[in-house]
C-alpha cells in the first residue's frame, strides 16, 4: 500500500473541490521547468511547461512576471531565452535599468489592480472611459519615446510594436 504525502492529499482535495465547481481537471504527468539566471544583482527566471496539446507555455517570472506565449518546441523557448538574456545583459548597462524594472513592475501591478477594480466594484461608464483615455495616452507616450530613442538591439525585431503600439 502506497503512503500518500500530505501534499498529494491536499492536491486530491483541491481537485475534488474544482470538480464540484464544474471544472474538468486533468492531471498531466509532464515537465515543468524553472530556469534561473543571476547577473550581478539581477535575477532573471523563467518557467515553461508542456500543455495537453504538446505545446509549451512559457513565461518570464523575474525580474517581473510576463507571459511570453505558447510555442511548439523547447528549442524555440531556448532560442527566446538566449535573446532575452542577451537583451537584459545589454539593458543592464543603462543607468536607467533599475528605473525601467521599477516601472515595468508597477505596470504589472496595475493590471492586477485594474482586474480587482472591475471584479469587485460596479464601475461607472465615465470612469471606465477616463481610464481608457489614460491608457491611450500612455501608449501614445511609449510610441513617442520609441520613435525618438536610439535602437540598441537588432538581432530580433520587437513583436509588440508590430500591432499594438
Amino acid at each position: 500500500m502506497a503512503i500518500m504525502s500530505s501534499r498529494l492529499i491536499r492536491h486530491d482535495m483541491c481537485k475534488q473541490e474544482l470538480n464540484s465547481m464544474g471544472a474538468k481537471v486533468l492531471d498531466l504527468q509532464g515537465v515543468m521547468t524553472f530556469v534561473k539566471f543571476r547577473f550581478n544583482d539581477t535575477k532573471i527566471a523563467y518557467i515553461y511547461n508542456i500543455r495537453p496539446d504538446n505545446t509549451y507555455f512559457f513565461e518570464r517570472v523575474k525580474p517581473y512576471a510576463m507571459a511570453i506565449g505558447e510555442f511548439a518546441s523547447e528549442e524555440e523557448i531556448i532560442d527566446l531565452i538566449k535573446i532575452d538574456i542577451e537583451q537584459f545583459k545589454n539593458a543592464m548597462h543603462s543607468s536607467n535599468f533599475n528605473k525601467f524594472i521599477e516601472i515595468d513592475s508597477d505596470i504589472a501591478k496595475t493590471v492586477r489592480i485594474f482586474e480587482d477594480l472591475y471584479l469587485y466594484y460596479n464601475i461607472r461608464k465615465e470612469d471606465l472611459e477616463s481610464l481608457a483615455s489614460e491608457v491611450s495616452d500612455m501608449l501614445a507616450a511609449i510610441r513617442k519615446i520609441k520613435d525618438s530613442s536610439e535602437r540598441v538591439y537588432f538581432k530580433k525585431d520587437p513583436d509588440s510594436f508590430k500591432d499594438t503600439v
Side-chain angles (χ1 to χ4, degrees):
M1 172 191 260
I3 298 175
M4 290 185 70
S5 73
S6 62
R7 185 188 63 76
L8 289 176
I9 292 169
R10 283 192 317 270
H11 175 66
D12 193 51
M13 290 170 51
C14 288
K15 288 190 317 184
Q16 289 175 14
E17 178 76 15
L18 291 168
N19 283 325
S20 73
M21 294 167 53
K24 180 178 179 182
V25 180
L26 302 172
D27 270 331
L28 302 176
Q29 296 298 321
V31 175
M32 177 175 277
T33 304
F34 187 68
V35 181
K36 299 188 304 184
F37 295 91
R38 184 181 192 106
F39 303 103
N40 301 322
D41 292 332
T42 302
K43 294 177 184 177
I44 303 172
Y46 308 90
I47 291 178
Y48 66 92
N49 63 294
I50 192 164
R51 298 175 56 156
D53 63 357
N54 289 321
T55 61
Y56 292 83
F57 183 73
F58 176 53
E59 58 190 309
R60 183 187 318 110
V61 293
K62 285 187 189 248
Y64 48 86
M66 177 178 288
I68 310 272
E70 293 181 30
F71 299 91
S73 70
E74 284 182 282
E75 289 79 13
E76 287 180 78
I77 292 170
I78 302 307
D79 290 342
L80 283 168
I81 289 174
K82 286 178 186 175
I83 289 170
D84 204 55
I85 291 298
E86 195 172 271
Q87 290 173 319
F88 268 102
K89 282 182 174 179
N90 185 48
M92 285 179 213
H93 295 298
S94 169
S95 61
N96 297 320
F97 181 70
N98 290 332
K99 188 65 177 173
F100 164 78
I101 297 298
E102 180 184 319
I103 291 169
D104 215 322
S105 295
D106 286 347
I107 290 171
K109 287 177 201 169
T110 301
V111 170
R112 179 65 180 145
I113 291 167
F114 178 71
E115 180 182 61
D116 281 350
L117 179 68
Y118 73 81
L119 291 177
Y120 287 86
Y121 300 91
N122 184 16
I123 308 305
R124 296 180 313 198
K125 183 178 181 178
E126 50 274 4
D127 290 334
L128 210 51
E129 289 170 356
S130 173
L131 286 174
S133 176
E134 295 287 336
V135 170
S136 180
D137 290 348
M138 186 167 123
L139 289 172
I142 290 171
R143 252 190 316 275
K144 182 179 177 185
I145 292 167
K146 176 190 78 78
D147 292 343
S148 66
S149 298
E150 177 187 358
R151 185 166 173 178
V152 295
Y153 190 83
F154 295 93
K155 291 184 181 176
K156 179 184 178 299
D157 287 332
D159 296 324
S160 62
F161 288 128
K162 291 177 185 171
D163 305 314
T164 59
V165 178

